Amino acid sequence: MSKEKFDYFIKGEKGKYEVVIGLEVHAQVLSKSKLFSGSSTKFGADPNNQVSLIDSAFPGMLPVINEECVKQAIRTGLGLNAKINNYSVFDRKNYFYADLPQGYQISQYKNPIVGEGKVLLDMPYGSKEIGIERLHLEQDAGKSIHDMDPSNTYVDLNRSGIALMEIVSKPDLRSPDEVNAYIKKLRSIMRYLGTCDGNMQEGSLRADVNVSVRKEGDTNFGTRCEIKNVNSIKFMQMAIEYEAARQVELIENGEKIDQETRLFDTKKNETRSMRSKEDAHDYRYFPDPDLLPLKLEQKLINDLKKSLPELPDKKKERFVKEYGLNAYEANVLVSEKEISDYYEEVAKLSDKKLAATWMMGDLFAMLNDRGLDISKSPISAKHFAELVQAIKSGEISGRIAKEVFEIMVESGDNPKKIIESKGMKQQSDPKELEKMINEILSKNKDKVDQYKAGKEKLFGFFVGQVMKLSGGKANPQLTNEILKKLLKG
Amino acid sequence: MADITNQSLSDIIENLKKKKVSSTDLTKAYIKNIESAKKLNAFVTTTFDQALDKAKQFDKKPNFDQLLPGIPLAVKDLFCTENIKTTAGSNILNNFIPSYESTVTKNLWDNGSFLLGKLNCDEFAMGSSNETSHYGNVINPVGDQLVPGGSSGGSSSALAADLTPATIGTDTGGSIRQPASFTGTVGLKPTYGLCSRWGIVAFASSLDQAGPMTKTIKDCAIMLESMSGFDEKDSTSINKKKEQYSKNLKDNVKGLKIGIPKEYRVDNMPKEIDELWEKGKKILKDLGAQLIDISLPHTKYALPTYYIVAPAEASSNLARYDGVRYGYRSKQGKDLIEMYEKTRSEGFGDEVKRRILIGTYVLSSGYYDAYYLKAQKVRQLIKKDFDDSFTKIDAILTPSTPSSAFKIGEKTNDPVSMYLNDIFTVPVNLAGLPALSLPAGVDKKGFPLGLQLIGKALDEQKILNIGYAFEKNCGFKNEIKKWWS
């Protein structure tokens, strides 16, 4: 892998600008019930069908913390190599909105459950550490639906009260590519842990993006703008590009950047001001008197730590060591837990290196074409391993293997059966091959003479003839060897 | 038999057990009293038909193993009652019918009692005279034009007027003890966390606590035993074994150390209050208790602290009344913000608005540290005062209120003098302690006055026992003439 140099700068007329990015990722906690009530969190239910009296803030209703959500936050914190705080506090963040039934969101303000941590990114220019400022638990709001009726807004409270983890990064990101890698890494870690499904289409992972720019080499940060609630990596990248360019233009024109909250219009591909700092809400945070401070025993944290699965960074290291993969291959194969599980099953039964090559090539291309996750792969890991072994042993050639692969996808049959029934076995008998080659050479005496006279390009022609005659089944390596030997003679 | 409704709850239970009266007849007697006491305006809602049904059911299959067998009870309209309108004294909940039952009322019903009606109270329990209720003033049966105290004013009035054999209120800064004192009845604010807050319309979450209001100490013990208990639905509920307060009631105070705090004397306090306090000390001393002078130096900060903490929490607790999901919604308003503004302007009364404004102010950025945070620190000091004293003493004796019941309208234009009514009661809420108001005497107008016994956290049994001894030796009798019927 070639080490490229980091090179993401906005070029203005007066110089190069570095883009400084920090993310506040909102990750939905994977849990059966909500953060403070027993309502289901299942996605896709009919509106207002998963709403308890607590979620809809009826008089006299009180929140009770869901222990599983607390454990999930601790697991995530541990996965981010972060400090778990034995003492944390739930606060009320007060504001009025139709989809916020309590009139406040229960969140954690001064004392979050998880403190500083870090995430490692593999960038083409080397590995980069991104600092985590904190992780806290909070309630999600409901959903306002403005387009169902011309004059009324409808409110769906199914989401109201679902647990979110807000993961705040330090302003350590410097390009849209790094943001892409960061989100993917966070998502991967949480999916390994089973703490968030990372499903961006269903809103399980969203982010507020803080962007500022500064002249290359400056050490002070510029004034930042916060782009609210962006729900795909692509949109985050587009928003950052637009916003950075906008800020550079302002600076170059001698104008001031206002610290403000902006939203990203995905149709127009631009960010727009939502509210300025002066109009910022005064959320009047104060500790929620309905909830006691959350005190965690060290034993609980230790037990959870012991029960954590192997995480991508560790697994990658092991793949390099145990399977002889290069860093790039290992990185790709650990990106999703399901992919790494599939690979390990294949690698157990076949050649480890060849398995990686074929998985990352044909298998991924096929899955990608069909829009399938590896868990839905039409080829089982066992069959895939048999295919890899058939290639490795020379039973079939790489070219034939591609055909076998196609048939496996369509039929779901195992490769042995396909190879046998279609007679696709590679011709690897030297005697048979020699016979075949002699026949070709005697039919093409003129070309043999030309070859011997120095027109070595004709070698390819002879190989082609062998393949044609064998129906593609001739073992290429043997064919080469025998051809060379006979043409010399 | 003689009018059963002027008997104590425990006597009524005895009479029910001895079959001297049926639950149905008892219920009918209270209904008759209630119907002839409309002038007092103690009830917001009555549930007579339902009560009679329950009484008949009880009489068919009486179960006397329960604490409250066949007893009809009216409760403060701050407790959510299933399928029965619950207003919290506010216009904003004028049409609110809960689909659920508060834990405390459910506990009462599970012990054999049933609902007679919902009692008037100050709006969202914010008031000391029941004058902030959207449903009108409540009259103190002690005298026409007198306030019954607040916020549990409907409860104290109904109890003193024999409209319910016992009742429950909520006490955030004195809302059980002050009305009890004004009506010559017993009121107990339990330790914070002893009674579940689930299903009670919230005023200030860290201070609110439900408690019994009764004619006698024994009744108080029965009611407390019935209504209290751990509730996993309330995170601030205390998980402990249930006490048998009535069974363990003893009138022996010999050797107990009673603290007398020097700070519970305020300027312009009527002489009668001092005399009452002296009388109380003498009774306990004569019974063999030891009086010990103590100091609770941060007492003077309790009222301002309370009027920061309580409104702060209220401003947030009341944000849910926005007209979106239930309750009153203004028909005016072009958009969401305007709908909020009109709904809350029309739905809330002046005192509630005042406290929402104070609460919003003290939590605002730039003021939080100076007000809310400081108040929280002072609150800790007030609590520490009590903790330090309780290493040396068993209970504290103070007056319940700085005056007897006042006239309707007398203090409505002077919020601060109204707030001063709570001066002896709020420290207890800030410290989360149990406190009992006992009827102890009358002033020269003949209006009842109360004394307050403050206990250690979860020491309800001890203050009930002291109260029990006090009651037997005090000679107070509530002489209320039924001038209203």
Side-chain angles (χ1 to χ4, degrees):
Chain A
M1 198 169 54
S2 66
K3 289 249 169 176
E4 295 167 28
K5 220 173 140 262
F6 173 80
D7 188 28
Y8 185 82
F9 295 99
I10 308 288
K11 283 167 196 75
E13 281 170 18
K14 295 169 188 163
K16 276 161 90 181
Y17 294 81
E18 184 183 35
V19 184
V20 176
I21 307 153
L23 291 187
E24 291 164 30
V25 170
H26 298 261
Q28 183 178 326
V29 174
L30 212 52
S31 65
K32 286 203 183 73
S33 52
K34 296 182 180 179
L35 183 53
F36 296 111
S37 83
S39 313
S40 167
T41 57
K42 216 163 165 224
F43 180 80
D46 284 343
N48 296 313
N49 263 272
Q50 292 175 172
V51 186
S52 74
L53 294 163
I54 296 168
D55 310 323
S56 46
F58 270 65
M61 291 301 105
L62 299 171
V64 177
I65 186 82
N66 178 343
E67 274 179 43
E68 183 53 25
C69 295
V70 172
K71 287 183 186 165
Q72 292 289 57
I74 298 171
R75 287 186 188 108
T76 308
L78 292 170
L80 300 175
N81 307 299
K83 183 179 179 296
I84 309 299
N85 293 323
N86 297 71
Y87 177 91
S88 67
V89 175
F90 286 101
D91 296 280
R92 292 185 183 178
K93 179 181 180 179
N94 294 283
Y95 66 96
F96 281 93
Y97 202 62
D99 56 25
L100 187 75
Q102 293 166 143
Y104 54 85
Q105 175 196 34
I106 305 178
S107 180
Q108 297 189 298
Y109 184 51
K110 281 189 186 150
N111 298 288
I113 184 165
V114 176
E116 291 190 334
K118 56 178 186 285
V119 166
L120 272 181
L121 305 186
D122 276 295
M123 302 308 295
Y125 34 87
S127 114
K128 177 166 178 176
E129 188 177 300
I130 304 299
I132 300 291
E133 181 74 40
R134 58 185 277 167
L135 176 155
H136 69 251
L137 278 168
E138 63 183 26
Q139 296 176 301
D140 205 349
K143 198 167 75 182
S144 290
I145 306 161
H146 301 292
D147 54 4
M148 266 175 73
D149 184 283
S151 54
N152 291 298
T153 292
Y154 285 83
V155 175
D156 176 7
L157 294 179
N158 281 351
R159 231 172 56 189
S160 166
I162 285 183
L164 300 178
M165 295 179 282
E166 181 170 324
I167 303 167
V168 183
S169 83
K170 300 206 164 160
D172 289 348
L173 297 155
R174 293 290 178 271
S175 72
D177 279 349
E178 289 187 0
V179 166
N180 175 45
Y182 173 74
I183 296 274
K184 283 190 172 149
K185 189 63 180 280
L186 269 190
R187 185 176 176 276
S188 165
I189 291 169
M190 291 190 289
R191 284 175 57 88
Y192 265 75
L193 292 166
T195 58
C196 171
D197 67 19
N199 193 328
M200 298 188 91
Q201 277 96 44
E202 292 176 6
S204 301
L205 204 63
R206 329 189 275 273
D208 299 337
V209 186
N210 286 287
V211 180
S212 66
V213 296
R214 63 181 173 192
K215 273 262 180 73
E216 189 187 7
D218 276 3
T219 49
N220 291 334
F221 291 127
T223 305
R224 70 189 156 90
C225 291
E226 181 182 12
I227 310 158
K228 275 274 173 205
N229 211 15
V230 192
N231 61 6
S232 87
I233 295 178
K234 200 175 130 228
F235 290 151
M236 286 176 209
Q237 294 181 307
M238 286 160 72
I240 291 164
E241 276 171 26
Y242 176 88
E243 182 59 21
R246 185 187 73 89
Q247 291 183 13
V248 167
E249 199 183 316
L250 281 173
I251 293 171
E252 297 243 307
N253 291 339
E255 286 172 69
K256 209 174 115 268
I257 294 163
D258 294 323
Q259 186 176 338
E260 60 182 1
T261 304
R262 300 177 70 85
L263 60 82
F264 182 63
D265 184 329
T266 54
K267 289 192 187 100
K268 293 187 181 154
N269 185 18
E270 63 179 27
T271 67
R272 273 201 309 274
S273 180
M274 260 172 88
R275 52 176 183 259
S276 69
K277 197 183 173 188
E278 288 73 42
D279 299 331
H281 290 302
D282 182 350
Y283 289 119
R284 306 188 311 279
Y285 282 100
F286 75 107
D288 191 330
D290 285 333
L291 292 161
L292 301 171
L294 189 61
K295 290 174 187 162
L296 302 175
E297 288 187 22
Q298 196 54 42
K299 185 178 178 308
L300 172 77
I301 300 169
N302 294 345
D303 287 352
L304 288 171
K305 198 169 192 172
K306 272 183 228 147
S307 71
L308 288 191
E310 184 184 37
L311 291 173
D313 287 342
K314 270 266 153 56
K315 187 169 278 188
K316 184 186 153 192
E317 238 172 71
R318 182 166 64 82
F319 276 18
V320 170
K321 233 163 79 190
E322 217 169 277
Y323 300 133
L325 304 182
N326 64 37
Y328 172 74
E329 290 167 330
N331 214 21
V332 172
L333 292 175
V334 303
S335 63
E336 294 266 356
K337 189 175 176 297
E338 289 76 10
I339 291 175
S340 69
D341 288 348
Y342 190 99
Y343 170 72
E344 289 208 88
E345 214 183 319
V346 175
K348 249 191 294 177
L349 304 167
S350 64
D351 183 80
K352 292 152 185 58
K353 190 81 181 169
L354 196 62
T357 311
W358 274 82
M359 256 185 85
M360 290 166 64
D362 292 67
L363 185 72
F364 282 4
M366 180 272 293
L367 293 173
N368 203 24
D369 276 354
R370 294 173 177 238
L372 293 175
D373 284 340
I374 196 145
S375 58
K376 301 269 161 58
S377 170
I379 300 179
S380 69
K382 190 168 163 278
H383 287 176
F384 193 74
E386 284 172 21
L387 180 69
V388 172
Q389 269 320 85
I391 303 164
K392 181 68 187 175
S393 68
E395 196 179 333
I396 54 171
S397 67
R399 207 175 57 79
I400 295 289
K402 284 182 192 289
E403 280 176 45
V404 176
F405 180 86
E406 290 303 324
I407 299 166
M408 285 169 77
V409 172
E410 297 308 327
S411 67
D413 282 341
N414 74 49
K416 257 200 181 69
K417 192 176 148 198
I418 297 167
I419 293 164
E420 266 165 30
S421 70
K422 306 234 176 206
M424 293 165 103
K425 211 167 191 162
Q426 184 161 262
Q427 183 50 268
S428 296
D429 182 342
K431 275 182 196 153
E432 285 295 315
L433 277 177
E434 208 172 309
K435 217 172 106 191
M436 212 185 284
I437 292 169
N438 274 326
E439 194 186 323
I440 289 164
L441 295 184
S442 58
K443 268 192 200 155
N444 295 286
K445 281 217 166 75
D446 51 335
K447 293 222 164 60
V448 174
D449 291 342
Q450 284 174 28
Y451 178 85
K452 285 183 173 165
K455 205 173 174 188
E456 286 185 359
K457 268 200 295 189
L458 280 169
F459 192 78
F461 165 80
F462 295 120
V463 174
Q465 291 300 307
V466 178
M467 286 300 162
K468 201 174 165 190
L469 194 64
S470 68
K473 281 178 266 174
N475 181 324
Q477 222 174 330
L478 269 178
T479 304
N480 279 0
E481 280 171 24
I482 296 166
L483 249 180
K484 269 184 191 156
K485 189 183 82 189
L486 293 178
L487 281 168
K488 251 187 215 164
Chain B
M1 68 185 297
D3 182 10
I4 190 160
T5 60
N6 64 16
Q7 297 179 5
S8 70
L9 171 68
S10 54
D11 286 346
I12 292 170
I13 294 169
E14 279 310 302
N15 282 318
L16 279 164
K17 281 183 180 168
K18 290 180 186 149
K19 310 276 178 194
K20 289 194 177 156
V21 68
S22 67
S23 174
T24 308
D25 288 343
L26 179 72
T27 305
K28 280 181 179 162
Y30 280 110
I31 292 172
K32 194 171 150 248
N33 285 4
I34 294 164
E35 280 181 329
S36 63
K38 293 206 169 121
K39 224 183 232 170
L40 300 178
N41 196 32
F43 281 77
V44 176
T45 304
T46 55
T47 56
F48 296 158
D49 291 346
Q50 185 189 303
L52 284 168
D53 280 350
K54 296 268 183 190
K56 279 174 198 154
Q57 274 175 40
F58 177 85
D59 289 332
K60 252 187 240 162
K61 251 180 131 178
N63 172 5
F64 290 107
D65 295 333
Q66 309 172 96
L67 280 166
L68 299 167
I71 300 293
L73 290 176
V75 303
K76 188 177 186 179
D77 206 14
L78 210 66
F79 294 88
C80 288
T81 41
E82 193 176 347
N83 299 325
I84 305 293
K85 189 171 78 173
T86 299
T87 69
S90 181
N91 186 31
I92 212 156
L93 287 176
N94 66 19
N95 58 0
F96 176 61
I97 298 174
S99 61
Y100 48 95
E101 188 76 36
S102 82
T103 300
V104 160
T105 46
K106 183 175 182 296
N107 288 346
L108 293 177
W109 317 147
D110 287 349
N111 277 298
S113 65
F114 47 83
L115 183 68
L116 194 51
K118 305 293 293 288
L119 297 166
N120 206 337
C121 58
D122 278 303
E123 186 178 6
F124 286 101
M126 296 177 191
S128 305
S129 63
N130 216 113
E131 291 170 290
T132 72
S133 169
H134 175 71
Y135 304 94
N137 297 332
V138 175
I139 309 292
N140 189 336
V142 167
D144 201 359
Q145 297 310 310
L146 276 189
V147 302
S151 67
S152 311
S155 299
S156 64
S157 173
L159 178 67
D162 299 334
L163 311 184
T164 181
T167 185
I168 54 173
T170 58
D171 190 318
T172 306
S175 282
I176 286 174
R177 289 160 289 158
Q178 183 252 21
S181 176
F182 279 14
T183 53
T185 55
V186 174
L188 172 68
K189 183 208 95 74
T191 306
Y192 182 77
L194 191 71
C195 296
S196 169
R197 293 185 294 114
W198 194 88
I200 303 174
V201 176
F203 162 15
S205 308
S206 75
L207 301 159
D208 293 346
Q209 184 60 205
M213 299 173 76
T214 57
K215 290 178 179 169
T216 68
I217 292 290
K218 196 171 176 191
D219 293 0
C220 188
I222 295 169
M223 287 292 285
L224 182 64
E225 201 172 321
S226 307
M227 68 194 287
S228 59
F230 173 65
D231 182 4
E232 61 182 18
K233 291 186 285 187
D234 174 359
S235 308
T236 61
S237 173
I238 298 171
N239 193 351
K240 67 179 272 285
K241 212 177 113 239
K242 248 182 111 77
E243 305 270 349
Q244 294 183 297
Y245 300 108
S246 52
K247 208 178 125 193
N248 296 329
L249 201 58
K250 287 186 194 75
D251 61 357
N252 187 2
V253 298
K254 213 172 206 131
L256 289 186
K257 297 186 177 98
I258 308 293
I260 308 295
K262 64 175 185 207
E263 289 81 5
Y264 278 59
R265 250 181 209 100
V266 292
D267 294 345
N268 303 324
M269 191 162 84
K271 225 176 79 199
E272 293 147 317
I273 303 290
D274 247 338
E275 286 166 7
L276 182 85
W277 200 4
E278 289 306 319
K279 177 186 163 189
K281 290 181 209 169
K282 188 171 181 306
I283 291 171
L284 292 178
K285 203 177 167 190
D286 291 349
L287 288 168
Q290 192 187 339
L291 302 180
I292 294 177
D293 286 326
I294 59 164
S295 173
L296 301 166
H298 296 92
T299 300
K300 60 173 178 280
Y301 303 114
L303 203 62
T305 299
Y306 174 84
Y307 275 99
I308 288 169
V309 174
E313 293 181 10
S315 69
S316 175
N317 281 338
L318 269 58
R320 64 187 57 200
Y321 307 107
D322 58 6
V324 174
R325 298 166 312 285
Y326 52 78
Y328 175 80
R329 181 195 285 193
S330 173
K331 298 202 170 45
Q332 318 285 315
K334 295 188 296 286
D335 54 27
L336 183 67
I337 300 294
E338 230 184 276
M339 190 277 280
Y340 284 153
E341 288 169 353
K342 303 257 185 205
T343 295
R344 288 167 67 82
S345 296
E346 295 160 21
F348 290 136
D350 287 347
E351 183 60 29
V352 170
K353 283 178 199 161
R354 179 180 296 126
R355 297 203 195 187
I356 291 174
L357 286 173
I358 294 171
T360 304
Y361 180 79
V362 299
L363 289 175
S364 297
S365 116
Y367 298 97
Y368 180 89
D369 289 359
Y371 292 105
Y372 185 78
L373 202 61
K374 185 164 276 176
Q376 289 297 357
K377 287 178 184 161
V378 177
R379 184 175 182 178
Q380 289 310 310
L381 294 175
I382 291 167
K383 190 171 177 300
K384 195 174 170 296
D385 281 355
F386 281 110
D387 290 346
D388 291 348
S389 288
F390 275 120
T391 59
K392 302 177 291 232
I393 54 168
D394 295 291
I396 295 169
L397 182 75
T398 76
S400 295
T401 55
S403 76
S404 64
F406 46 87
K407 284 217 158 67
I408 288 169
E410 196 180 312
K411 298 182 191 230
T412 38
N413 291 322
D414 185 359
V416 174
S417 99
M418 187 72 95
Y419 295 170
L420 278 169
N421 248 285
D422 301 330
I423 195 149
F424 298 145
T425 46
V426 292
V428 166
N429 298 79
L430 291 169
L433 302 175
L436 185 64
S437 178
L438 300 158
V442 291
D443 65 2
K444 59 176 180 287
K445 290 173 278 188
F447 300 165
L449 293 169
L451 285 174
Q452 175 175 239
L453 276 167
I454 305 169
K456 260 186 276 199
L458 297 175
D459 225 359
E460 276 79 2
Q461 188 72 57
K462 195 178 276 168
I463 54 172
L464 283 168
N465 287 352
I466 299 169
Y468 196 41
F470 184 94
E471 181 183 65
K472 286 187 174 172
N473 292 279
C474 168
F476 173 83
K477 195 165 182 326
N478 212 359
E479 310 273 3
I480 290 176
K481 299 191 176 55
K482 301 202 171 171
W483 52 266
W484 55 87
S485 55

